[in-house]
Amino acid sequence: QSVLTQPPSVSAAPGQKVTISCAGSSSNIANNYVSWYQQIPGTAPKLLIYDSNKRPSGIPDRFSGSKSGTSATLGITGLQTGDEADYYCGTWDSSLSAWVFGGGTKLTVL
Amino acid sequence: QVQLQESGPGLVKPSQTLSLTCAVSGDSITSGGYSWSWIRQPPGKGLEWIGHIYYSGDTYYNPSLKSRLSISIHSSKNQFSLNLSSVTAADTAVYYCARSHHGDFFNSWGQGTLVTVSS
């Protein structure tokens, strides 16, 4: 059971928009930055969003992040088949003194 | 651009110690502002943070692994390492090393190495 809760799967058609939620608590998301990672099967995770809403260089602006209270959201617009992957949120948990990840969300582009 | 590469045995017997090394290139492991992390992923499952170390030697460990875990840094070799003792089949996973910016996010990852615990 992950400390951060994500939906197991989401799906949408090419060109559409999808959001992936990440629910936490006052000891993690509410008081710390959230980051998001994309993992294509068989490869290492890749940083998509850091500091809750910033994109590293090279990440297209189709990807966005937001945070409100104890939840965070990853948004992807203009879906492409290449976006099919597992997506993970993560943050520091101040009570556990540990980094925590969500359970991951599998994105299917229909 | 920093690159990380994990190395170590791919097969470890139950009750033994799992030892992995992460070689860092393209940046000094003594660079300020970064921590050096281990993260694992059991087959078909999600990511689990193991722990991280700063150049100062300060370490932070996953509470669920703390009693079996040791992470150390080897600045002369630009490497850091992981030792996990008393392993069981539940420790079978792909192990990743990663660089974390101030412990806030993981911006560089190794390719990962599969470690299987089996007799």
Side-chain angles (χ1 to χ4, degrees), chain B residues 48-100:
Chain B
E48 180 183 31
W49 175 78
I50 297 171
H52 63 237
I53 187 168
Y54 288 88
Y55 169 60
S56 62
D58 289 343
T59 52
Y60 292 81
Y61 295 156
N62 186 320
S64 69
L65 299 171
K66 188 174 184 177
S67 64
R68 301 191 288 131
L69 183 61
S70 175
I71 297 175
S72 54
I73 201 163
H74 315 285
S75 54
S76 62
K77 296 183 179 180
N78 222 39
Q79 297 175 344
F80 63 106
S81 61
L82 163 74
N83 283 295
L84 184 65
S85 64
S86 304
V87 297
T88 69
D91 295 309
T92 293
V94 175
Y95 285 76
Y96 295 99
C97 58
R99 186 182 74 174
S100 169

Side-chain angles (χ1 to χ4, degrees), chain A residues 17-105:
Chain A
K17 173 183 176 179
V18 72
T19 60
I20 298 174
S21 60
C22 176
S25 70
S26 58
S27 65
N28 43 65
I29 290 179
N31 290 290
N32 293 292
Y33 287 123
V34 176
S35 52
W36 288 90
Y37 304 86
Q38 178 193 59
Q39 186 179 33
I40 293 168
T43 69
K46 172 184 173 183
L47 179 66
L48 278 183
I49 298 288
Y50 68 98
D51 290 358
S52 302
N53 58 12
K54 296 182 175 68
R55 283 177 288 105
S57 61
I59 300 300
D61 60 6
R62 300 188 299 108
F63 295 89
S64 64
S66 63
K67 188 183 88 165
S68 179
T70 60
S71 294
T73 301
L74 173 70
I76 311 173
T77 60
L79 277 171
Q80 303 172 1
T81 55
D83 296 333
E84 285 203 334
D86 296 317
Y87 292 83
Y88 294 90
C89 59
T91 189
W92 183 257
D93 189 295
S94 304
S95 293
L96 297 173
S97 290
W99 184 270
V100 290
F101 287 103
T105 299

